[in-house]
Amino acid sequence: MTTSDNVAGKSSDLINWLVARGLEGLPKEELLDGYCNRLVDLGVPLMRFHAAQSTLHPVYGGTGYSWYQGKGGEHQKFEYTEEPSDHWRASPLYAVLNEGLSVVHERLVDQNEPSKYPLLNELREHGATEYYATGVSFNTPTHIGAATTNKVVSGVLLSWTSNAPEGFHEDDLALINAAMPHLGLALKAASDARISKDLMRVYLGRDAGRRVLSGEIRRGSLQQIDAVILNFDLEDFTSLSEELPGNALIDMLNDYLAVAVHSVHQNDGNILKFMGDGLIAMFDVGEIDADARAALAAVADLQEGMANLNARREADGLPVSNFTLALHAGEILYGNIGSESRLDFTVIGPTVNQTARIAGMHRALGQRILISDDVAKAAQPCASADLISVGRYMLRGVAEPKELFTVYQPAE
């Protein structure tokens, strides 16, 4: 068998494996771990492999995966920044992406002078003998670098490092390059799936995003469930919005909503909708008694979180606000409503309407936190010491009076 036949046979095996795993939708970490192990099994002297990709995420600008000989791989997340860090600017992958290079290829064993890339000098100190980096664009044409553009909308940057005495053999690089487009395609499939899950979770909520991706996308597909509804609003935000400049207002709103969201998520609730300076959340963790206890735990966390946030903002000389909150429990309809061209995954029904009615009584009753008797009864006996009745009231559109409670807060 000739050398070219040997490379063709190895690349065919690797390509077939990549295509099959891509069609399976194998997660990125498993895909790359399997790829690296197969390169080693095919005789490639691989010391280190690294893949870096941009991503669509409100916090992270990119992700990375690094595999090391004898250690396996690890996943990395890189926070989004307006300007690239000095560390990233000094990277050979940055050069491939932004300096018109199709590859960075250095034989470290032959170099007497340090590399201009600090990473390569570090790798050489750990026994590296050769470094090869390039990229695959998910747009056309195939390769990142001089043949394309300095700004790539979507793609993956890749590097391979050897610690063999002579570095990579010519056949090793031929195998890597032959399988590279297929590796890029498999990574694109894995990345698109992860981005879809991340965006669905961020914009629709954890539960609604999961349901939409699982196929619950038909208009009118609704599920009747028992749950606790939480209605949260900031106090006096309208007057603050008239006094504060736009950026300060948005920063303030994000500060407070972040505390509310954390409190809900920390107790297994789901954010259903943001509405200006407030939000609606749902607790559906099991039976209604478990839902009620989870919601009340979120209220306790929210009180502590808001007090800490206000203390920090006051110390920084920033305006502060407080909040109002209503909890009610009962049957809700949870699913898709809207038109064929624009759907919303949300909750509707009398329980949701009654929660809004309860929320409208904060000012009249002089209480920031109002909890219906349905929640109070469901949470018994755990909540009996913390909930204080504020009376029975008729709610608009409700036939029977509702007893409302607030949370007891001892004087400091």
Side-chain angles (χ1 to χ4, degrees):
M1 180 182 291
T2 66
T3 299
S4 59
D5 289 338
N6 187 41
V7 172
K10 289 181 177 180
S11 63
S12 178
D13 291 342
L14 182 57
I15 287 168
N16 289 338
W17 183 86
L18 287 169
V19 170
R21 300 295 83 76
L23 290 172
E24 286 177 11
L26 199 67
K28 177 180 175 179
E29 292 77 12
E30 294 180 41
L31 174 73
L32 291 176
D33 185 68
Y35 166 77
C36 292
N37 288 327
R38 273 156 183 79
L39 281 183
V40 172
D41 291 342
L42 292 170
V44 177
L46 189 63
M47 169 190 171
R48 176 186 182 267
F49 169 82
H50 182 74
Q53 289 179 263
S54 61
T55 189
L56 289 174
H57 192 279
V59 176
Y60 303 107
T63 63
Y65 176 88
S66 294
W67 182 95
Y68 293 90
Q69 185 183 73
K71 296 180 180 179
E74 63 176 0
H75 179 65
Q76 299 132 342
K77 294 179 179 180
F78 307 114
E79 288 194 10
Y80 174 81
T81 58
E82 289 290 341
E83 294 294 331
S85 66
D86 292 340
H87 177 77
W88 171 228
R89 287 181 183 274
S91 166
L93 293 183
Y94 182 87
V96 171
L97 182 63
N98 292 284
E99 296 177 7
L101 302 178
S102 58
V103 299
V104 171
H105 187 189
E106 292 192 15
R107 293 268 303 171
L108 306 178
V109 72
D110 298 333
Q111 288 187 191
N112 293 319
E113 297 297 325
S115 172
K116 72 174 184 177
Y117 302 111
L119 171 64
L120 272 57
N121 295 320
E122 293 175 16
L123 290 173
R124 182 160 62 172
E125 290 178 2
H126 289 87
T129 57
E130 188 167 355
Y131 178 89
Y132 180 74
T134 186
V136 177
S137 173
F138 295 162
N139 309 301
T140 54
T142 302
H143 291 286
I144 294 173
T148 60
T149 174
N150 289 346
K151 292 294 182 183
V152 178
V153 174
S154 180
V156 57
L157 297 165
L158 306 162
S159 72
W160 299 259
T161 305
S162 176
N163 61 352
E166 299 301 323
F168 291 119
H169 189 274
E170 183 179 338
D171 290 352
D172 300 328
L173 295 179
L175 171 61
I176 286 171
N177 284 316
M180 196 186 311
H182 305 85
L183 173 61
L185 188 59
L187 282 173
K188 184 179 188 301
S191 298
D192 286 352
R194 172 165 287 176
I195 287 171
S196 295
K197 289 179 181 178
D198 286 345
L199 291 179
M200 285 290 183
R201 178 180 57 81
V202 168
Y203 280 93
L204 295 183
R206 297 183 300 187
D207 186 67
R210 176 185 60 80
R211 289 172 180 266
V212 169
L213 285 175
S214 69
E216 295 185 37
I217 56 174
R218 305 298 176 198
R219 182 173 61 153
S221 61
L222 296 167
Q223 181 182 7
Q224 185 169 295
I225 61 175
D226 290 327
V228 173
I229 298 296
L230 178 149
N231 191 311
F232 166 91
D233 277 295
L234 287 178
E235 284 187 331
D236 302 322
F237 191 76
T238 301
S239 59
L240 285 170
S241 66
E242 296 174 354
E243 300 170 7
L244 296 175
N247 289 342
L249 186 69
I250 293 299
D251 289 344
M252 179 180 179
L253 184 59
N254 285 335
D255 272 355
Y256 284 106
L257 290 179
V259 171
V261 170
H262 176 77
S263 300
V264 171
H265 284 171
Q266 187 78 5
N267 293 281
D268 298 320
N270 289 292
I271 305 298
L272 298 171
K273 191 183 297 294
F274 292 99
M275 300 183 300
D277 60 335
L279 61 83
I280 296 178
M282 175 184 75
F283 293 86
D284 174 32
V285 299
E287 299 297 327
I288 195 66
D289 56 343
D291 300 340
R293 288 192 289 271
L296 289 173
V299 172
D301 287 347
L302 181 58
Q303 288 177 291
E304 181 180 1
M306 292 287 283
N308 292 337
L309 175 59
N310 278 341
R312 291 197 302 271
R313 289 184 64 88
E314 285 180 337
D316 293 337
L318 298 172
V320 299
S321 181
N322 221 314
F323 70 98
T324 60
L325 182 143
L327 287 182
H328 184 41
E331 288 186 351
I332 62 171
L333 290 173
Y334 182 43
N336 286 295
I337 63 170
S339 71
E340 293 180 355
S341 60
R342 177 63 173 90
L343 292 172
D344 190 15
F345 210 98
T346 189
V347 290
I348 58 173
T351 298
V352 181
N353 297 335
Q354 289 176 30
T355 309
R357 301 281 188 270
I358 294 170
M361 299 183 68
H362 292 295
R363 192 177 299 276
L365 299 182
Q367 299 292 338
R368 290 190 296 103
I369 298 174
L370 291 175
I371 298 164
S372 75
D373 50 6
D374 300 272
V375 176
K377 291 173 184 175
Q380 297 296 345
C382 301
S384 58
D386 297 324
L387 298 184
I388 304 296
S389 175
V390 295
R392 286 160 55 86
Y393 301 92
M394 295 299 299
L395 303 180
R396 181 164 57 88
V398 180
E400 298 294 329
K402 304 291 294 181
E403 185 174 12
L404 301 180
F405 294 76
T406 192
V407 177
Y408 171 66
Q409 292 182 284
E412 296 182 357

